[in-house]
């Protein structure tokens, strides 16, 4: 027997009123990615023959983001006015054209949903040959959710939204999750029978339950085993709650893969981060974007890494890095700032109060204290004395220039390297040197050639008045 065909509809057109935001709700970010991305990812593994995203509020933005988030082919359906979840489902269904088979409907604001749960729901639906199968959850606090009303036999009778519920109905703790599987024909026929006779004057998708039951169709309800999976994000309060659960889930995945996370509650790891075995992540560490941590590395406490690669066995303490590369067994921190293009080769060090930008620090080379290294190429086994600055920026022309330092160089404390300048292999500079001319290999240079060379012309306007 061939497997029935599957289509998926993601409801992502809602206004997100409770968010009070100019950003569409499904684009609010959770652990490094927009809410809707998690839903698309869960759906991706189900091999649906068509996936429709219903867009409306901020539709162009949502569409552009969805296209970036998945390689899967998506169809976008515009819901002109946000008249409710049934109207959104209708817009999505219209985009399915001649499709026949099962239709999975998922809200774009439930990022914790897993592919396994969706798969199990689809299988249950097929096994029971239901017209519709809904996913429900037993929630400690179901406030804000639609409540599931079951009949004397325990079958679902209808769903009542919080705003329409009586106190008795509100006392019910089984909540609708807004995840559905429909037989397409049953979905189409029931959608036309839904009205807006409710407190919010919206077309509720939840009303299909009563419509289908009246027609004698089977409506199934499957209770999820993990009620946290179905939590929706309607406000920034719920965003923070769901983010905490997502962070825990991400941390558990890494811990089970052999990473020590000393305190998951104070560790912030984005969904796309990879971490090697036996790495130790200390509290107050933030790993963002496409950051990669090598095996056996020690990161934190107090570290923020964005799109940064850390090699095996490296240590990073009390540091901020963005688009940087820390080589194997390199050391960073404490109190270090690595900016885009900072590259520390194997065993290199950037220590306390050191800022590095668009520079390579060669294998085994050290910048231990109080230095600014910008637009520089530093060779292997170099020691940069405390207080060294690459003067890479000409304040008059706005031009940036390069400093090139060879291998085995000793740069004395407080050396100013006035770029463009080159220091040859094995050269040495004395403390306090101001290097504005190239130093050849093996040369020892000292002194500060600071002397008046010319006078600046006073600025006509805007300049400093005496
Ligand atoms: C909905 C359910 C509720 C359930 C809850 C679970 C209805 C009527 N209510 O309520 O029973 O407990 O989800 O999280 O279905 N959307 C559109 N167009 C619209 C309205 C909504 O695309 O016109 C989208 C939203 O972007 C969202 C999803 O549909 O992704 C659900 O809408 P939302 O307003 O969040 O519904 P809830 O009030 O949470
Ligand atoms: Ca919701």
């Amino acid at each position: 027997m061939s497997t029935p065909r599957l289509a998926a509809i993601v409801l992502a057109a809602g206004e997100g009123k409770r968010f009070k935001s100019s950003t569409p709700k499904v684009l609010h970010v959770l652990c490094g990615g927009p809410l809707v991305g998690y839903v698309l990812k869960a759906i991706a593994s189900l091999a649906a023959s068509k996936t429709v995203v219903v867009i409306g509020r901020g539709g162009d933005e949502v569409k552009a983001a969805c296209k970036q988030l998945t390689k899967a082919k998506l169809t976008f359906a515009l819901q002109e006015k946000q008249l409710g979840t049934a109207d959104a489902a209708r817009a999505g269904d219209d985009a399915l054209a001649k499709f026949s088979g099962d239709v999975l409907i998922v809200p774009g604001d439930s990022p914790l949903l897993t592919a396994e749960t969706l798969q199990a729901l689809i299988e249950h639906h097929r096994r029971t040959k239901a017209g519709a199968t809904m996913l429900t959850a037993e929630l400690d606090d179901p406030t804000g959710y639609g409540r599931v009303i079951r009949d004397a036999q325990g079958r679902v009778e209808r769903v009542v939204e919080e705003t329409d519920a009586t106190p008795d109905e509100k006392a019910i703790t089984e909540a609708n999750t807004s995840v559905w599987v429909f037989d397409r024909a049953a979905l189409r026929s029931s959608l036309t029978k839904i009205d807006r006779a409710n407190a919010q004057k919206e077309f509720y998708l939840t009303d299909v339950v009563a419509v289908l039951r009246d027609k004698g169709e089977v409506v199934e309800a499957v209770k999820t085993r993990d009620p946290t999976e179905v939590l929706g994000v309607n406000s920034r309060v719920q965003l923070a709650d769901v983010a905490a659960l997502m962070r825990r889930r991400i941390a558990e995945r890494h811990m089970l893969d052999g990473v020590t996370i000393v305190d998951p509650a104070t560790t912030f790891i984005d969904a796309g981060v990879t971490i090697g075995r036996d790495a130790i992540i200390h509290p107050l560490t933030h790993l963002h974007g496409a950051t990669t941590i090598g095996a056996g590395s020690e990161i934190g406490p107090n570290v923020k890494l964005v799109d940064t690669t850390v090699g095996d066995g490296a240590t990073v303490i009390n540091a901020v890095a963005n688009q940087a590369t820390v080589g194997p067994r390199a050391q960073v921190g404490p109190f270090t700032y690595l900016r885009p293009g900072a590259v520390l080769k194997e065993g290199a060090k950037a220590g306390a109060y050191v800022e590095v930008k668009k520079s390579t620090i060669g294998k085994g080379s050290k910048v231990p204290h109080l230095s600014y290294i910008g637009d520089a190429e530093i060779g292997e086994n170099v020691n940069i004395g405390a207080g060294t600055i690459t003067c890479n920026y000409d304040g008059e022309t706005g031009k940036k220039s390069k400093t090139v330092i060879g291998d085995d160089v000793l740069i004395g404390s407080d050396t100013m390297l006035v770029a463009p300048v080159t220091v040859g292999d094995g050269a040495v500079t004395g403390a306090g040197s101001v290097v504005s001319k190239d130093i050849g290999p093996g040369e020892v240079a000292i002194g500060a050639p600071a002397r008046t060379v010319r006078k600046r012309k006073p600025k006509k306007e805007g300049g400093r008045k005496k």
Side-chain angles (χ1 to χ4, degrees):
M1 202 184 85
S2 68
T3 11
R5 297 208 309 147
L6 180 75
I9 298 176
V10 178
L11 306 182
E15 283 189 59
K17 283 191 204 106
R18 293 159 276 186
F19 249 85
K20 305 209 168 95
S21 175
S22 50
T23 302
K25 171 167 80 172
V26 294
L27 296 189
H28 277 264
V29 172
L30 176 81
C31 298
L35 293 175
V36 70
Y38 293 92
V39 175
L40 291 175
K41 191 162 179 234
I43 289 176
S45 57
L46 300 175
S49 54
K50 194 162 191 176
T51 299
V52 178
V53 182
V54 182
I55 54 172
R57 163 81 203 288
D60 290 340
E61 265 180 273
V62 176
K63 187 173 172 176
C66 288
K67 282 184 172 170
Q68 282 224 315
L69 287 162
T70 175
K71 285 190 202 85
K73 194 178 170 296
L74 301 173
T75 303
F76 294 90
L78 182 67
Q79 183 195 19
E80 302 267 359
K81 278 193 194 148
Q82 280 62 69
L83 300 175
T85 46
D87 184 65
R90 190 267 318 144
D93 178 79
D94 285 350
L96 291 179
K98 291 196 166 62
F99 172 86
S100 80
D102 298 321
V103 181
L104 170 73
I105 299 187
V106 181
D109 66 351
S110 300
L112 292 165
L113 278 169
T114 62
E116 294 72 40
T117 296
L118 299 177
Q119 189 62 53
L121 189 74
I122 294 163
E123 276 159 21
H124 182 98
H125 176 80
R126 287 176 177 166
R127 211 168 37 240
T128 55
K129 300 193 169 54
T133 303
M134 60 189 295
L135 184 69
T136 72
E138 204 63 59
L139 299 181
D140 290 341
D141 176 13
T143 309
Y145 289 81
R147 309 295 207 282
V148 179
I149 316 288
R150 293 183 180 256
D151 64 16
Q153 286 77 46
R155 285 176 316 213
V156 215
E157 199 168 78
R158 61 195 169 88
V159 175
V160 59
E161 288 305 295
E162 167 103 15
T163 40
D164 303 299
T166 64
D168 278 354
E169 289 167 338
K170 278 187 190 155
I172 295 170
T173 50
E174 185 179 10
N176 170 38
T177 67
S178 249
V179 180
W180 305 83
V181 186
F182 288 98
D183 165 63
R184 181 163 189 227
L187 174 66
R188 278 185 85 76
S189 66
S190 54
L191 282 176
T192 56
K193 307 224 163 40
I194 290 173
D195 61 28
R196 302 162 78 169
N198 53 57
Q200 300 191 83
K201 307 268 175 298
E202 285 188 2
F203 295 98
Y204 288 165
L205 184 55
T206 44
D207 286 352
V208 296
V209 175
V211 172
L212 288 174
R213 286 251 338 203
D214 286 351
K215 287 181 21 179
E217 295 259 11
V218 176
V219 179
E220 285 286 308
V222 177
K223 227 185 254 183
T224 172
R225 265 189 292 149
D226 175 7
T228 61
E229 227 189 78
V230 300
L231 296 176
V233 177
N234 296 319
S235 68
R236 295 179 205 241
V237 175
Q238 288 173 327
L239 181 67
D241 290 346
V242 167
L245 292 164
M246 184 67 89
R247 281 199 298 273
R248 178 72 205 186
R249 187 190 278 182
I250 292 168
E252 278 180 15
R253 169 163 59 80
H254 290 297
M255 291 189 283
L256 293 170
D257 280 348
V259 176
T260 296
I261 298 179
V262 176
D263 181 18
T266 59
T267 305
F268 304 80
I269 305 175
D270 281 357
V273 170
T274 61
I275 310 178
R277 278 174 75 153
D278 287 322
I280 300 174
I281 313 294
H282 290 284
L284 296 172
T285 292
H286 304 247
L287 304 178
H288 294 305
T291 291
T292 300
I293 308 293
S297 292
E298 197 161 348
I299 313 294
N302 289 314
V303 166
K304 175 174 172 168
L305 305 181
V306 181
D307 298 334
T308 287
T309 302
V310 177
D312 294 351
T315 59
V316 183
I317 302 172
N318 259 296
V320 174
N322 182 10
Q323 295 167 58
T325 306
V326 176
R329 288 162 291 286
Q331 295 172 53
V332 177
F335 313 112
T336 311
Y337 183 22
L338 303 181
R339 292 166 52 199
V343 177
L344 269 66
K345 298 283 195 186
E346 183 175 354
K349 175 174 180 170
Y353 307 102
V354 169
E355 175 177 339
V356 182
K357 183 217 80 171
K358 211 175 172 186
S359 296
T360 300
I361 301 182
K363 196 172 164 188
S365 291
K366 300 197 167 24
V367 190
H369 347 261
L370 297 152
S371 292
Y372 171 64
I373 305 296
D375 303 298
E377 291 288 334
I378 300 177
E380 298 184 2
N381 300 315
V382 170
N383 194 76
I384 306 281
T388 294
I389 308 259
T390 53
C391 309
N392 61 332
Y393 179 71
D394 184 326
E396 282 190 314
T397 63
K399 224 185 107 188
K400 294 202 178 92
S401 302
K402 266 189 97 165
T403 300
V404 179
I405 297 175
D407 297 337
D408 306 307
V409 170
L410 297 173
I411 298 289
S413 296
D414 219 4
T415 297
M416 301 295 123
L417 296 151
V418 184
V421 73
T422 298
V423 180
D425 290 348
V428 175
T429 70
S433 302
V434 176
V435 181
S436 52
K437 290 198 192 86
D438 291 354
I439 299 175
E443 289 180 4
V444 178
I446 61 164
R451 57 206 158 79
T452 305
V453 288
R454 61 189 164 85
K455 276 189 101 172
R456 292 178 77 184
K457 284 198 196 101
K459 279 191 185 152
K460 285 210 182 74
E461 266 168 283
R464 201 183 298 158
K465 303 222 174 72
K466 66 162 190 38

